[in-house]
Each structure stands twice: as structure tokens, then as C-alpha cells.
Amino acid sequence: MKQVETEILRLARELPELGQAAVATRLQKAGLQISASGVRYIWQKYGLETAVKRLQALAAENDGCLTSLTVNQRRYLERGLLSTRLAQGELADDELATVPESELEPLDRRRIILNTAAELFSTQGFDRTTIRDIAGQAGLLPGSVYHYFSSKEELYMAVHQEGFRSVMMQLQAAVDEATDPWERLTRAFTVHINGMVGGSAIDRLTGHSLALTGHPRLLEMIRADRDAYEDVIKALITALPLKPAVNRTLLRLQLLGAMNWVYVWYHEGKLSSAQIAAQMIEMLRLGVENQA
């Protein structure tokens, strides 16, 4: 494990722009067994979980001098820092006015398009939402949307990829804070339910699509991301101290079905996401423990 960690940190220094999946693939080809989530765990351990943080760490090794970075790395870092400030609303109006349109365009407009598309897909459905609808809601011309996404299907995929990336990061961070398998599953369900009923438009659409039925083409489009997410839930259920007779596959499907149905009956102000998740898992745990 020490060798794997050393190699991950070496790549973080030599190729900071690489994502966790790319790093895992490189190490696997070199005969080192590590998953993408395992790479992220090591990154988080050293505060290197984003490309921006890895580039900042690389510059810090040279007294914070950005000239130690390549031209492309400096641009990536500058754009990443700008994107973070834009997302957090930290740019004052006078600062925003000095940012070239060429810099704002890829950072701000794409995010606006994704959020708007997620909102309309959630409320109107995929079939009834058009690129013109999305552009109008976002205050853009349809051509501006097509500049980033060649079709409505590509935009739908981009929204889900962003959503699954977000929920997987939140879920992993939540379960990593606990060791008890019941608590880890409860934390995972809390993240999932909160995304469906209290998260961003992208989170809500991702949660709804985990329960998507009646639209095979859309389901097929997001199947890879959906399967990766369900694999995480499967691992959490596998870790539960259950009796050998329990069919864990059926249990997983039952729990996911119950959790995905929350968005249908949920009413704000009654139970929180954490309370719903805790009660669902507690009922399961008591049922298992009371089996003869």
C-alpha cells in the first residue's frame, strides 16, 4: 500500500491534471491494484483532491512560483481559481467586469446551461424540453447552447455525469467519516435522499433518474454511471453483518426502490433527509436482529 501511495503522490506532482480514473488506470497497468476511489482517498489525505489543489501544491514546492508550472498548467490553475470564485460569488462587480468574455464563457455559461437544463428536465421531462427552452431560460441564444453541447442528448448526459460525480464525492466523504457498517449505509442514504429532495437541480435530476422507468433510451444513456453508483451501495450492503440466508441482491434492490420513492411522497418540514435515512436503516437493522 505504501508503494501505491508513493506512486499516486508522484503522479500528482508530475501530472497534476490527471483525474482519479486516469491515475488508477496507469497504476493498474503498472501492476498496482488501486481503484479510482482509492486514488481519491489518498489525494484527500494530503489535500490534493482537485487538479487546482495539486497545481497549487506543485507551485508551493517552488516557493509559490507559478513559473515552475508549464504554460498550460498555469492557465488551468488560473481558470480553476476563477471558476471557484465565480461559483462561490466571491467576485465583486468591478472585478467581474475586468474578466475577459473568453474567460467567463467556458467557466460561467456552461454551468448556467447545465443548471438550467437540469431544472427543466426535472420539471418538464426530457421529451418536452427543447434546446430553445433551455437557452431562453438561461438568457442565451440557442446557438450558445450548441456551442457547448451538440445535442439535447449530449447535454442530458453532461448533466448526469456532473450529478453522479457530485453525489459520489459527497457519498464517499460521508461514509469515510464512519466505520460502523450500519452508520456508513445510513450516511450514504442521507446523501442520496438529500440530493433528491433538497439538493441542486442537477442533484435532483440525478436522484430521479436512478428511479427512471418507462424511458429505456434515457436509462441506457446513463447506465454506466448508474451502475457505478449502485456498485458503491452494493459494497456498503455487503459489509453489513447479515445472516447467511439474506439475499443481499434483493435487499439492495428493495432498499434502492424505497429510497428512490421518497421524492414522490416527501413533504418539506416533516422529516429531514437524515431522519428518513436513519429510520429506514434502523427498521432494517431491527428486522435482521429479530429474525429467529
Side-chain angles (χ1 to χ4, degrees):
M1 185 61 189
K2 185 63 177 177
Q3 181 185 2
V4 173
E5 182 172 313
T6 299
E7 287 301 300
I8 290 173
L9 294 177
R10 180 183 65 79
L11 287 174
R13 187 178 302 107
E14 295 179 2
L15 296 167
E17 303 96 326
L18 285 184
Q20 60 194 46
V23 170
T25 298
R26 281 178 177 247
L27 295 182
Q28 289 164 7
K29 288 180 178 179
L32 299 175
Q33 294 306 308
I34 185 70
S35 64
S37 60
V39 172
R40 181 165 183 80
Y41 173 78
I42 299 300
W43 280 348
Q44 289 176 322
K45 180 179 176 181
Y46 292 92
L48 301 171
E49 60 270 24
T50 67
V52 168
K53 288 184 177 181
R54 294 191 291 278
L55 287 167
Q56 287 178 312
L58 185 58
E61 290 181 0
N62 294 277
D63 297 323
C65 183
L66 294 183
T67 57
S68 62
L69 306 179
T70 67
V71 173
N72 285 337
Q73 286 176 340
R74 290 200 298 272
R75 287 176 179 170
Y76 192 108
L77 177 57
E78 290 165 359
R79 292 165 72 89
L81 292 173
L82 180 62
S83 180
T84 299
R85 295 185 67 197
L86 280 168
Q88 297 176 349
E90 295 179 354
L91 282 182
D93 290 342
D94 56 344
E95 288 184 285
L96 192 58
T98 66
V99 179
E101 181 68 18
S102 59
E103 292 296 320
L104 281 176
E105 192 172 334
L107 297 173
D108 200 30
R109 286 191 178 179
R110 189 176 189 278
R111 171 61 56 182
I112 290 172
I113 292 169
L114 288 173
N115 287 334
T116 303
E119 189 67 49
L120 291 178
F121 287 149
S122 294
T123 56
Q124 298 182 177
F126 177 82
D127 291 327
R128 289 187 295 170
T129 299
T130 67
I131 291 293
R132 186 172 295 278
D133 293 334
I134 295 167
Q137 185 76 12
L140 301 170
L141 294 173
S144 296
V145 178
Y146 283 117
H147 176 73
Y148 298 99
F149 306 99
S150 62
S151 65
K152 186 170 69 169
E153 287 76 11
E154 183 181 330
L155 177 51
Y156 185 83
M157 280 291 295
V159 169
H160 278 82
Q161 287 170 353
E162 175 69 16
F164 277 111
R165 182 195 64 79
S166 173
V167 74
M168 289 280 270
M169 287 176 58
Q170 294 176 57
L171 189 150
Q172 196 64 57
V175 301
D176 283 349
E177 293 177 356
T179 56
D180 178 77
W182 293 105
E183 176 63 18
R184 285 166 61 84
L185 187 61
T186 301
R187 287 171 176 266
F189 275 27
T190 299
V191 170
H192 183 114
I193 294 171
N194 187 62
M196 287 194 297
V197 302
S200 68
I202 293 177
D203 291 333
R204 293 196 302 274
L205 182 65
T206 302
H208 294 180
S209 293
L210 284 167
L212 189 65
T213 57
H215 211 313
R217 185 167 64 89
L218 293 184
L219 181 58
E220 191 59 36
M221 288 169 60
I222 65 171
R223 183 174 298 280
D225 288 320
R226 174 182 170 135
D227 288 349
Y229 179 80
E230 289 195 12
D231 283 345
V232 175
I233 301 298
K234 183 189 298 184
L236 293 171
I237 291 175
T238 298
L240 294 176
L242 303 176
K243 296 181 181 297
V246 175
N247 186 318
R248 293 175 189 258
T249 297
L250 289 178
L251 176 62
R252 172 173 55 85
L253 295 174
Q254 178 184 359
L255 289 173
L256 284 171
M259 184 167 57
N260 288 334
W261 200 246
V262 170
Y263 84 90
V264 175
W265 55 258
Y266 177 79
H267 292 286
E268 188 174 358
K270 291 189 175 181
L271 292 174
S272 68
S273 301
Q275 289 171 326
I276 294 171
Q279 290 192 28
M280 289 176 66
I281 301 304
E282 182 65 10
M283 286 188 286
L284 168 64
R285 186 182 66 80
L286 291 176
V288 170
E289 291 179 351
N290 290 332
Q291 286 182 343

